[in-house]
Amino acid sequence: MTPVLEVRNLSTHFMTRRGVLKAVDDVSFTVGQREIVGLVGESGSGKSITGFSILGLVDPPGRVVNGQILFNGGDLLKMSPTAMRTIRGKRIAMIFQDPMMTLNPVLSVGTQMIETVQAHDRVSRAEARARSRDALGLVGIPSPEERLDSYPHQFSGGMRQRVAIAIALLHRPDLIIADEPTTALDVTIQSQILFEIKRLAAEFGMALIWISHDLGVVAALADRIMVMYAGRIVEAGQVDGVLSEPRHPYTSGLLSAVPAAVPRGEPLRPIPGFAPSPLSRPSGCAFRDRCARATDICATEPMLEIAAGREFRCFHPHLWSAA
Amino acid sequence: MTVFVIRRFLQSTAVLAVTAVIVFIGIYAIGDPAEMLISPDASQAERAQVVASLGLDKPLWEQFFTFAWNALHGDLGRSFVFNRPSIALIFERLPATLELTLTGLVFALVLGIPLGLLSGLKPDSATDEVIMTGSIFGFSLPSFWQGMMLIMIFSVWLGWLPSTGRGQVGEFLGVHSSLFTLDGLKHLILPAINLSLFKLSLVIRLTRTGVRETMPLDFVKFARAKGVSEKRIVFVHVFKNILIPLITVIGLELGSMLAFAVVTETIFAWPGIGKLLIDSIMRLDRPVVVAYLLVIVSLFIFINFVVDVLYSMVDPRVRLGGAQ
C-alpha cells in the first residue's frame, strides 16, 4: 500500500539576523494510510515546524530549504500557491494547539465553517451550512443548527477544539495534522477529545500526525512514534516497542521523566541540562552534552540505523535482550 | 438595547447640564460684553439701559438660572451682536461645517484604509516606506501651514481651485450643500483635504498597525490551513478585526474634526461654525458661545452613541446594556 505522505530529507531553516536557525534538519518519515503517527519532542525540537512545512505554512523568515514532501505521490513543495491552497483544508487538514486562538473572534462559527466548504466546493450557502451542521453534530456538539450562529467566545475551550476538529473533517481529508490539540485543555476534556479524534479517524479512514510533547497521550493513541530532538528525528518505530525498549538515550531519558511511567516512590530523573540553542547546535549528535553514554565518537554525525522496524541515530544505543 | 438607550440618554442629559454650568461660568469670567457692545461715547443712562436689556446687571446665579430656564424651553438666548436666536445662527452655519468634515472624513477613510492595508501587508517594502514617510508629514506639519501651502500650490501657482468661500450651493432632496454643484465641489476640495490630512495619516497608521498585529495571529494561519483564499483572509478575517480600533478612534476624531475645523475654516474663509465661534469669542457674544458648545457636546454624545452601536455590530463580544 502506498503511503499517504512521504517526507524525504526535509529541512526548514529560519534566516534570522543572528544566523541560520535549523528548525527542521534533514527529516524523513512516512505516514501510511489510516496510520496514526505520534511526533514527540520538547518545545523547540521542530515538531510543529515539521507540521507547518507539510502544509506550506511556514512564516517568514522561515523557509523549506531542502527535501521532498510526497503527498499521494505528488511533491507538495513543487506546487504553485494556488494548487497548494486546493490541498490545504481539502486533502490535508490541520488542528492547532490553542482553541482559544484558532477561531476568528468576530466571525460566527457558521461563517468560518461555510467558508471552508465553499473554499473548495462550488456549493450553495444552504448546502454548505447543512454540511457544517452535520460536521458539528459529528464531533458531539449539541444542537448544532443553533450553534452555527454562535460566536467563538460563546464556546468553552473544549467545545472550540471540537469546532476546529469539525472544520478539519468537513472535506474528509486523507491526512490530519494535529498540533498538540489537547495541550491547552483540561485533563478530562483531553481524554474526550482524544477518544473523539481516534474514533473519527478510524471511521473516515484518515491518517493522523499527532504532534505532542506528552508521551502518555501518544502511547494511548498512536500506532507509530517518532521522537524529535533539535530538529532531527532521533528514534522512530512502533509505539509499544519504542516506549518499552527505547534505543536512543534521549527517548529513555524522556521516559524516565514521565511521572506515570516511573514506579511509585522512585524519583523522577529529569534529563540534565537544556536542549542546545537551535542557532548554535554542536556538530555530531546534538544530545551528546546531556548524554551519560556519550563518547568522543559522538562528535561525528551518527548515521540512521534501521533494525527490526526501528530507526535511531545513536552510536551507543541501549541494548535489549530481544535486539 | 432599550435599557442601553435610556441609560445613555440620562447620562447625556447630565453631561449637558454640567457642560452648561462650566461653560456659562467660564465665559462669564472672560470679560464684560458691555464693553464691546456699547460705543465708548454712549451716555451713562444709555449704557445702563443696554446692560439691563441684556440682563447683564443681574448676579451670576440669576443670569444662569434665567438661561437654564429658557434653555429647558428650547431657547438658548439671542446673540448680543446679531440680535437673533443663537441656535438659529449655529444651525445656519452647521451644514457648511458638516459637509466639510464629512467630506474630509470620507477622504481620510477611502484613501487611508487601502494605503494602510498596502503598507501593513508588505511591511518594510519600498511602498511601505513611502507611505509611512508620507504619513509622518501628515502628522507633523501644522495644519495651518499645510492649508497655506495648498492655497499657494493649487490656487496661486496652478490656478486650478478657488481658495476662499463655499461657492455655489445646490439642492438635492431638500438638502442644501455645495456637494451638488461643480462650483461648490471645487471650493470644497482644498479645505476638505486640509482638514483630512492629519486624519488620513492617523487612519493609515491605525490600519497598518492593525494588519501587522492581526496577520501573525493563529486564526489567520488556521484560515490559511483551511484553504481560504488570501483575499478573503485580508478583507474578511483581518479587516473585520481592524475595524474595531478604527471605529473607536474615528468616532473620537470625527468629534474633534467638527469642533476644531476652526483652523481650516479660518484659512479658507469657510462659513462654518468654527469661524462663527472664533468671531463670537472675540466679541464676547456669550449666548452664541454657550449654544455652540452645547451643540458640539450633543454631537459628541451622538457620535459616541453611534460608535457604541457600530461596535456591537462589528464585535460580537460586545453586547450593549451590560447585564444580560
Side-chain angles (χ1 to χ4, degrees):
Chain A
M1 217 159 56
T2 53
V4 174
L5 183 79
E6 191 175 352
V7 174
R8 287 186 193 156
N9 310 105
L10 176 72
S11 293
T12 303
H13 295 177
F14 284 72
M15 315 302 166
T16 68
R17 239 172 255 170
R18 288 183 298 150
V20 177
L21 190 155
K22 296 178 180 174
V24 178
D25 196 11
D26 195 24
V27 161
S28 302
F29 63 91
T30 59
V31 180
Q33 285 173 30
R34 296 172 162 264
E35 192 180 30
I36 299 180
V37 177
L39 183 57
V40 298
E42 295 170 69
S43 310
S45 60
K47 53 195 195 307
S48 293
I49 300 297
T50 305
F52 287 129
S53 300
I54 294 168
L55 276 178
L57 287 177
V58 180
D59 288 322
R63 199 152 54 82
V64 175
V65 291
N66 189 33
Q68 284 179 308
I69 299 172
L70 302 174
F71 176 70
N72 287 334
D75 190 351
L76 296 183
L77 293 178
K78 289 208 175 74
M79 281 192 183
S80 69
T82 329
M84 199 57 214
R85 192 176 71 72
T86 62
I87 300 257
R88 281 202 288 262
K90 175 85 175 166
R91 306 298 353 135
I92 307 177
M94 188 152 179
I95 303 168
F96 284 39
Q97 177 172 2
D98 188 352
M100 296 302 188
M101 299 296 293
T102 45
L103 299 173
N104 192 328
V106 301
L107 299 176
S108 73
V109 163
T111 306
Q112 299 188 55
M113 297 189 77
I114 289 165
E115 70 176 4
T116 314
V117 176
Q118 291 187 325
H120 301 288
D121 297 339
R122 298 182 75 85
V123 295
S124 70
R125 205 180 151 79
E127 198 192 325
R129 192 180 160 90
R131 272 168 68 179
S132 307
R133 183 199 56 215
D134 295 346
L136 281 188
L138 208 58
V139 296
I141 287 182
S143 50
E145 181 67 42
E146 288 100 86
R147 292 310 251 165
L148 278 179
D149 297 319
S150 304
Y151 287 87
H153 70 276
Q154 293 162 318
F155 289 81
S156 67
M159 280 295 160
R160 284 191 218 190
Q161 200 58 295
R162 283 174 194 261
V163 171
I165 295 167
I167 290 175
L169 289 173
L170 277 171
H171 292 282
R172 305 276 186 272
D174 303 321
L175 173 68
I176 291 185
I177 301 171
D179 185 6
E180 309 215 29
T182 58
T183 306
L185 303 175
D186 287 347
V187 184
T188 47
I189 310 292
Q190 263 187 30
S191 52
Q192 286 178 16
I193 297 280
L194 219 58
F195 173 79
E196 215 57 69
I197 292 184
K198 196 167 182 172
R199 173 179 72 85
L200 292 164
E203 192 175 331
F204 299 119
M206 296 177 295
L208 192 61
I209 299 179
W210 188 279
I211 298 169
S212 179
H213 64 252
D214 189 335
L215 285 169
V217 167
V218 172
L221 182 78
D223 304 318
R224 225 147 41 78
I225 185 171
M226 303 186 290
V227 181
M228 255 186 118
Y229 183 76
R232 304 196 146 194
I233 292 179
V234 293
E235 179 160 10
Q238 296 300 313
V239 166
D240 295 343
V242 171
L243 295 185
S244 58
E245 297 182 345
R247 304 297 304 272
H248 198 287
Y250 177 64
T251 314
S252 59
L254 272 186
L255 283 168
S256 17
V258 175
V262 175
R264 196 182 169 80
E266 271 188 43
L268 291 175
R269 285 193 307 275
I271 303 174
F274 297 96
S277 156
L279 280 168
S280 55
R281 259 183 212 144
S283 61
C285 176
F287 187 59
R288 72 171 196 272
D289 292 344
R290 306 169 73 185
C291 184
R293 304 167 75 93
T295 57
D296 290 344
I297 193 174
C298 297
T300 54
E301 193 70 47
M303 286 287 110
L304 189 70
E305 307 234 3
I306 303 175
R310 183 80 70 83
E311 304 169 11
F312 55 87
R313 281 173 190 270
C314 185
F315 292 107
H316 311 292
H318 294 288
L319 298 172
W320 301 83
S321 52
Chain B
M1 183 72 187
T2 323
V3 179
F4 170 76
V5 173
I6 294 170
R7 192 165 17 155
R8 183 51 75 86
F9 184 76
L10 292 176
Q11 285 169 353
S12 309
T13 320
V15 170
L16 275 174
V18 172
T19 323
V21 174
I22 296 172
V23 168
F24 200 86
I25 295 173
I27 194 82
Y28 186 88
I30 290 180
D32 185 1
E35 296 293 332
M36 307 286 291
L37 293 168
I38 303 160
S39 68
D41 44 288
S43 72
Q44 202 59 33
E46 282 171 332
R47 204 182 165 77
Q49 196 219 331
V50 174
V51 169
S53 78
L54 294 176
L56 295 172
D57 53 342
K58 303 204 174 69
L60 172 60
W61 62 269
E62 204 183 324
Q63 283 188 39
F64 180 75
F65 279 109
T66 317
F67 158 77
W69 181 253
N70 290 335
L72 285 176
H73 293 81
D75 175 13
L76 288 173
R78 297 176 83 82
S79 160
F80 294 160
V81 178
F82 299 100
N83 195 25
R84 295 179 50 206
S86 52
I87 198 80
L89 276 173
I90 287 165
F91 280 127
E92 230 165 61
R93 305 278 199 111
L94 193 58
T97 297
L98 278 179
E99 124 196 327
L100 181 64
T101 35
L102 290 180
T103 311
L105 182 73
V106 168
F107 185 74
L109 291 177
V110 165
L111 222 62
I113 293 176
L115 285 176
L117 283 175
L118 216 62
S119 227
L121 289 174
K122 293 230 182 292
D124 304 323
S125 66
T127 326
D128 178 38
E129 300 280 344
V130 171
I131 294 172
M132 281 302 100
T133 312
S135 81
I136 290 175
F137 282 115
F139 263 128
S140 48
L141 296 178
S143 177
F144 71 87
W145 187 83
Q146 288 177 358
M148 290 190 300
M149 285 302 119
L150 285 173
I151 290 179
M152 193 151 101
I153 295 169
F154 292 101
S155 305
V156 180
W157 289 351
L158 297 172
W160 289 352
L161 295 165
S163 65
T164 55
R166 196 179 170 202
Q168 198 186 338
V169 175
E171 192 189 333
F172 182 71
L173 296 175
V175 180
H176 295 267
S177 167
S178 48
L179 286 170
F180 306 131
T181 65
L182 187 64
D183 182 56
L185 277 177
K186 276 186 173 170
H187 278 85
L188 186 58
I189 291 175
L190 285 184
I193 289 180
N194 179 226
L195 191 60
S196 74
L197 276 179
F198 183 85
K199 310 298 164 193
L200 174 65
S201 310
L202 189 69
V203 171
I204 289 177
R205 288 194 165 243
L206 273 175
T207 311
R208 180 180 188 270
T209 311
V211 173
R212 299 268 281 144
E213 278 174 359
T214 314
M215 285 308 275
L217 292 183
D218 262 8
F219 66 76
V220 172
K221 208 167 198 180
F222 188 62
R224 289 207 179 106
K226 295 193 299 187
V228 174
S229 70
E230 203 61 20
K231 206 167 82 187
R232 189 176 162 88
I233 289 175
V234 172
F235 290 105
V236 178
H237 284 262
V238 175
F239 189 67
K240 222 177 160 198
N241 277 280
I242 301 177
L243 272 182
I244 297 168
L246 218 51
I247 287 173
T248 318
V249 176
I250 291 307
L252 291 172
E253 290 295 324
L254 178 62
S256 75
M257 265 170 112
L258 273 172
F260 304 116
V262 182
V263 176
T264 301
E265 289 183 358
T266 310
I267 297 170
F268 291 91
W270 189 263
I273 43 172
K275 210 165 166 314
L276 176 70
L277 173 71
I278 292 290
D279 294 345
S280 303
I281 291 175
M282 301 297 256
R283 295 174 189 148
L284 289 175
D285 197 349
R286 280 185 202 167
V288 179
V289 177
V290 174
Y292 169 85
L293 286 165
L294 290 181
V295 167
I296 290 293
V297 169
S298 307
L299 277 173
F300 258 98
I301 290 170
F302 177 71
I303 291 167
N304 270 312
F305 175 74
V306 172
V307 165
D308 281 337
V309 172
L310 282 178
Y311 239 27
S312 71
M313 279 159 63
V314 172
D315 191 342
R317 290 163 295 188
V318 175
R319 281 285 169 265
L320 299 180
Q324 294 221 352

